[in-house]
């Protein structure tokens, strides 16, 4: 394989080195493009642009492969727990029992949030969207933990990571409890990480909390499936913000805002709202299939399509199976599951979707499980954020350890050329 790529423009040839990843992904390294040729590349949406070299997550959209640090998502979802996966993503190796216990102890040590944070939460209306609340609270954490991380110190870095993994679930739970008008409690450090999150979210003040293994296992699986997805919109945001040497919490807060949009993590809420809408409209899935294909109609089939997956989303396969199991185990009969299955079947047989390689993505069935677990629709993207947290942290850490340059794309200017100012009375 040639180690250089040649670009020709106006009769002049420019040579660029070619980088090959461990899974044979080929990239033309254009770091010297502008210096050599005066040209830049134009790639809206970064569809062809690799922003970094990364050793965290591997994704093959054609074959439907997703691996964290080399381990398949199927195996991790079946055999690992969320904290183990978090450790793997952030530090690169599966932890030993001793390492995992220590990691968990360190997290538990930091799992109290400054009581003044409650005053901030109190000032939000109950109607506020949980994602806005979560992004604000995560930003507010900076005010209570102002020292910036010294990235040359592994110990400093570790402390910041542990703090965030400890306090974030409390904020997630408080976001839900505020919405539901419940008292803001802390966790129980005798419990596992995910079990503790579930208790913080669901515990009622007048009832003893009873652990439900079906709920814990389903949550664990969902969080693992969402834990990282290489350079998606929110992760790229985290890396971009972090590249200015803004702190970890500030970078994560920006990532939460990026995740909120319905084209990204917000799709899980949008899917349920869409399925509810179809049900309320008589359950005519064909009508909505037609709307999704109509170029004059802005309606899209939410939970369908992916920038990278062009065959199937391996996470969606696992989630679909889990949705069936969880609903049956919990004895929940949700009519929108049937609507979702009909839509999927019709879409997979429809030429429009086949031609464009549109398949159900991770968000198509996840909301159905969250709903069965008793989580309100507006909280779904918050749950995605909780799952994605280790991925964001891992990507931020990787970027800071490599001391990557500040993210600063260029543009092709298409505005007015220089003009002379016209005084306001003469316009
Ligand atoms: N329904 C109908 N048509 C669609 C859909 C859809 N869900 N998704 C893509 N298309 C069409 C699109 O109109 C375009 O058609 P044409 O070539 O005729 O103009 C073609 O498929 C390619 O779409 P695109 O928008 O250029 O593709 P993209 O890679 O820029 O967008 C996407 C990917 C995920 C934003 C998009 O598929 C979408 O909007 N899906 C619905 C939202 C969704 O489920 N998002 C969650 C993504 S997975 C979780 C996550 O990563 O956060």
């Amino acid at each position: 394989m040639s180690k250089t790529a040649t670009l020709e423009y106006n009769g002049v040839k420019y040579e660029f080195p070619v980088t090959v990843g461990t899974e044979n992904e080929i990239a033309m390294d254009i770091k010297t493009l502008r210096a050599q040729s005066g040209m830049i590349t134009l790639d809206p949406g970064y569809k062809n642009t690799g922003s970094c070299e990364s050793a965290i997550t591997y994704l093959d959209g054609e074959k439907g492969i997703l691996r964290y640090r080399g381990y398949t998502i199927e195996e991790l979802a079946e055999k690992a727990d969320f904290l183990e996966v978090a450790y793997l993503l952030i530090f690169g190796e599966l932890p030993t029992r001793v390492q995992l216990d220590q990691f968990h102890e360190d997290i538990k040590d930091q799992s109290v949030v400054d009581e003044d944070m409650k005053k901030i939460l109190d000032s939000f209306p109950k109607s506020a969207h949980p994602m806005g609340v979560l992004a604000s609270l995560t930003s507010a954490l900076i005010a209570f933990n102002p020292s910036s991380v010294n990235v040359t110190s592994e110990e400093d870095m570790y402390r910041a990571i542990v703090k965030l993994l400890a306090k974030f679930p409390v904020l997630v739970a408080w976001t839900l409890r505020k919405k539901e008008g419940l008292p803001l409690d802390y966790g129980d450090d005798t419990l596992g990480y995910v079990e503790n999150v579930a208790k913080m979210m669901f515990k009622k003040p007048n009832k003893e909390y009873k652990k439900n293994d079906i709920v814990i296992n389903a949550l664990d699986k969902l969080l693992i499936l969402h834990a990282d997805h290489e350079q998606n919109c929110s992760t790229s945001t985290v890396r971009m913000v972090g590249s200015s040497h803004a702190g970890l919490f500030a970078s994560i807060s920006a990532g939460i805002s990026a995740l909120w949009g319905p084209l990204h993590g917000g799709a899980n809420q949008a899917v349920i709202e869409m399925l509810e809408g179809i049900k309320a409209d008589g359950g005519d899935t064909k009508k909505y299939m037609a709307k999704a294909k109509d170029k004059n109609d802005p309606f899209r089939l939410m939970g369908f399509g992916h920038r990278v997956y062009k065959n199937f989303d391996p996470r969606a396969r696992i989630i679909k199976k889990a949705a069936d199991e969880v609903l049956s185990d919990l004895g929940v009969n949700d009519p929108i599951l049937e609507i979702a299955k009909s839509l999927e079947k019709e879409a997979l047989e429809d030429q429009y979707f086949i031609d464009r390689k549109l398949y159900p993505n991770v968000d198509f069935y996840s909301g159905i499980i969250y709903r069965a677990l008793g989580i309100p629709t507006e909280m779904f993207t918050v749950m995605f954020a909780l799952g994605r947290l280790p991925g964001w942290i891992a990507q931020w850490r990787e970027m800071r350890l490599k001391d990557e340059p500040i993210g600063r794309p260029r543009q092709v200017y298409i505005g007015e050329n220089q003009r002379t100012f016209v005084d306001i009375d003469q316009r």
Side-chain angles (χ1 to χ4, degrees), residues 339-356:
I339 296 180
K341 285 185 176 169
S342 303
L343 269 180
E344 180 185 352
K345 188 169 179 300
E346 283 164 38
L348 293 181
E349 289 166 359
D350 190 289
Q351 209 51 46
Y352 173 97
F353 287 83
I354 295 170
D355 289 346
R356 288 167 183 76

Side-chain angles (χ1 to χ4, degrees), residues 47 262-265 267 292 295 300-307 310 315 352-353 356 358 361-363 384:
K47 293 192 179 193
L263 298 189
H264 190 13
K295 290 292 170 202
R300 277 191 168 199
L301 207 53
M302 299 312 287
F304 257 78
H306 197 275
R307 170 62 61 79
K310 300 297 173 198
R315 303 167 301 172
Y352 173 97
F353 287 83
R356 288 167 183 76
L358 302 171
N361 59 49
V362 68
D363 287 328
F384 191 153

